[in-house]
Amino acid sequence: MRKLLVGVSLIGALSLGAPALAQPPGGVKVGTLSCHEHSGWGLVLWSSRRVRCVYSGANGSARYTGRFTDAGVDVGYHGPSDIVWAVFAPTTRLGPRALNGHYVGGTAAAAVGVGLGANALVGGSDRTVSLQPLSVSGGTGLAADAGIGSLTLANVPGTYRPA
């Protein structure tokens, strides 16, 4: 039990520093990205899970699919979770595929039954889009991870809905 508490404390401390790894590259908040992450196993040094996401902004909404990968310490079973990010971009005019691309940043999470985590990521078109934690992920499982997270997003064709 003591090792678990030390691990959770370490992950909590790392999550406080995670947003510093992915500061917005400048720009304004243009909307939110809500993602559902599928369950999977942490394989000690990495894990990879599918995501389904919905972007909602002032100019419209769109659906995305992708994959979230952790590189670092990742041990245990991650149940499905939901994550909401604030989306920052250099312009308020985002098109239907504006969030397509690869994002990288700090990540930390822990779960014993119900868990919490945080991810702050930068990427997309020429690394100009930033995803900042708006609400921490809520999930289930028996796991702990900390390290570098990456998210790859691809627009689901035909899902863009102008506002």
Side-chain angles (χ1 to χ4, degrees):
M1 184 65 159
R2 179 182 166 159
K3 289 181 183 180
L4 178 63
L5 290 175
V6 170
V8 169
S9 298
L10 176 62
I11 289 169
L14 288 171
S15 69
L16 293 175
L21 295 173
Q23 291 299 316
V28 295
K29 181 180 174 192
V30 295
T32 59
L33 181 69
S34 301
C35 295
H36 176 76
E37 184 176 33
H38 293 263
S39 60
W41 286 92
L43 301 174
V44 182
L45 297 177
W46 70 277
S47 67
S48 183
R49 293 175 295 284
R50 291 179 298 132
V51 295
R52 291 177 318 203
C53 304
V54 175
Y55 167 76
S56 299
N59 295 321
S61 64
R63 289 188 318 192
Y64 290 82
T65 61
R67 185 159 293 278
F68 191 85
T69 303
D70 286 324
V73 177
D74 192 346
V75 180
Y77 176 76
H78 298 270
S81 63
D82 295 300
I83 307 166
V84 180
W85 283 290
V87 179
F88 290 85
T91 178
T92 58
R93 297 298 225 182
L94 293 186
R97 293 172 294 283
L99 300 185
N100 281 358
H102 190 73
Y103 298 79
V104 177
T107 182
V112 178
V114 175
L116 295 175
N119 312 283
L121 308 171
V122 173
S125 177
D126 295 323
R127 297 184 53 87
T128 59
V129 177
S130 175
L131 306 176
Q132 296 293 317
L134 186 57
S135 73
V136 294
S137 61
T140 60
L142 179 57
D145 69 71
I148 302 298
S150 68
L151 174 67
T152 302
L153 291 176
N155 177 255
V156 176
T159 64
Y160 180 72
R161 303 286 181 254

